[in-house]
């Protein structure tokens, strides 16, 4: 069973998500919180696998809760629930290593699949948010300052291709199909690429791909 913590300062929202997740026989909601402080405490107490946090809550918000979980319970995978207009928070949380981001109007099936993917260690970002990030990074006139950008030069041509596709949110299976590679081979490329770039996870690598403008040509 995937043990889930829900945190939202609106009880009705929590009830709706809880009802959706009840339809999955491999997911169990083990704790609920109304603010970030309570969420971080319950995550440690209830041996949580996935925490679904509203990005803005009264008191301690979802970002602060995620930061505390990273320190106290790093095994917990965090999914932020957001709405349009909160993209500044999205970028900050992704760079901090949050595993997933979903819009609150995601479908029930998208919600369930997101919990499963995040629990397995795969990042999840709503397509709408991904598109916004791509537009922002590709259209911005600002020069990115991430020192990891210099390390992209150390990647092989194939690793750069893989990094570009990770930037689109593609899974290992999708990358393998596009590049005519086995899924195990793609997994090895991703692992080496993350090590070379010193990225903690695929989400951080995706942000780096956006900064490096790799999505313009995926090469």
């Amino acid at each position: 069973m995937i043990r889930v913590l829900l945190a939202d300062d609106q009880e009705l929202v929590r009830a709706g998500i809880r009802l959706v997740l009840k339809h999955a026989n491999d997911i169990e909601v083990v704790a609920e919180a109304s603010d970030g402080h309570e969420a971080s405490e319950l995550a440690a107490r209830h041996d949580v696998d996935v925490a679904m946090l509203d990005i803005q809550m009264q008191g301690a918000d979802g970002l602060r809760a995620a930061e505390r979980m990273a320190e106290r319970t790093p095994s917990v995978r965090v999914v932020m629930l957001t709405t349009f207009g909160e993209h500044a928070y999205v970028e900050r949380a992704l760079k901090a290593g949050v595993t997933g981001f979903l819009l609150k109007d995601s479908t029930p099936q998208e919600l369930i699949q997101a919990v499963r993917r995040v629990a397995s260690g795969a990042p999840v970002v709503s397509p709408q948010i991904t598109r916004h990030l791509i537009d922002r990074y590709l259209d911005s006139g600002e020069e990115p300052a991430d020192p990891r950008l210099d390390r992209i030069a150390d990647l092989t041509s194939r690793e750069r291709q893989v990094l570009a596709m990770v930037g689109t949110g593609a899974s290992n299976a999708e990358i393998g199909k596009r590049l005519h590679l086995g899924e195990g081979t793609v997994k090895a490329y991703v692992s080496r690429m993350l090590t070379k770039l010193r990225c903690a996870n695929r989400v951080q690598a995706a942000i780096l791909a956006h900064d490096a403008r790799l999505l313009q040509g995926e090469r």
Side-chain angles (χ1 to χ4, degrees):
M1 294 293 288
I2 302 171
R3 298 171 60 83
V4 174
L5 161 71
L6 302 179
D8 195 296
D9 55 6
Q10 297 185 47
E11 186 175 353
L12 186 59
V13 172
R14 296 200 310 272
I17 297 173
R18 186 194 324 122
L19 183 61
V20 168
L21 296 182
K22 275 187 177 181
H23 291 284
N25 57 15
D26 57 342
I27 298 173
E28 179 184 9
V29 176
V30 297
E32 296 184 34
S34 58
D35 63 47
H37 176 74
E38 184 182 15
S40 60
E41 295 294 329
L42 292 176
R45 193 184 309 164
H46 289 277
D47 192 24
V48 169
D49 298 310
V50 176
M52 306 197 76
L53 311 176
D54 182 15
I55 199 165
Q56 293 197 65
M57 292 182 282
Q58 296 294 326
D61 61 18
L63 286 171
R64 185 168 299 179
E67 291 167 353
R68 291 193 66 184
M69 289 179 192
E71 295 175 358
R72 301 178 59 188
T73 53
S75 63
V76 176
R77 310 282 186 177
V78 175
V79 177
M80 288 290 187
L81 298 173
T82 183
T83 61
F84 282 116
E86 298 176 336
H87 296 303
Y89 296 99
V90 171
E91 293 166 34
R92 174 183 161 191
L94 286 174
K95 289 180 178 179
V98 169
T99 308
F101 251 99
L102 285 178
L103 291 173
K104 283 187 174 180
D105 62 357
S106 297
T107 68
Q109 190 59 31
E110 287 172 339
L111 195 65
I112 291 171
Q113 289 302 322
V115 170
R116 289 171 176 160
R117 286 196 65 187
V118 167
S120 71
V124 173
V125 182
S126 288
Q128 299 96 321
I129 294 174
T130 298
R131 285 195 296 270
H132 167 82
L133 290 171
I134 291 171
D135 290 343
R136 173 178 167 79
Y137 281 96
L138 294 182
D139 295 340
S140 172
E142 300 176 359
E143 289 296 324
D146 194 325
R148 291 175 299 191
L149 286 170
D150 293 336
R151 303 189 191 114
I152 291 179
D154 297 329
L155 300 181
T156 66
S157 176
R158 182 64 88 187
E159 287 167 349
R160 287 170 66 91
Q161 286 181 312
V162 170
L163 174 59
M165 295 198 67
V166 166
T168 69
S171 66
N172 286 350
E174 291 166 338
I175 295 172
K177 184 176 181 180
R178 175 77 177 273
L179 300 180
H180 307 290
L181 298 172
E183 193 168 344
T185 301
V186 174
K187 184 177 180 180
Y189 274 121
V190 171
S191 179
R192 287 198 298 269
M193 177 262 294
L194 291 178
T195 298
K196 287 183 179 181
L197 297 178
R198 300 180 191 174
C199 290
N201 54 50
R202 293 169 69 111
V203 175
Q204 289 182 350
I207 293 298
L208 200 62
H210 300 157
D211 284 343
R213 308 296 195 262
L214 293 184
L215 277 71
Q216 288 180 323
E218 293 187 13
R219 60 181 184 273

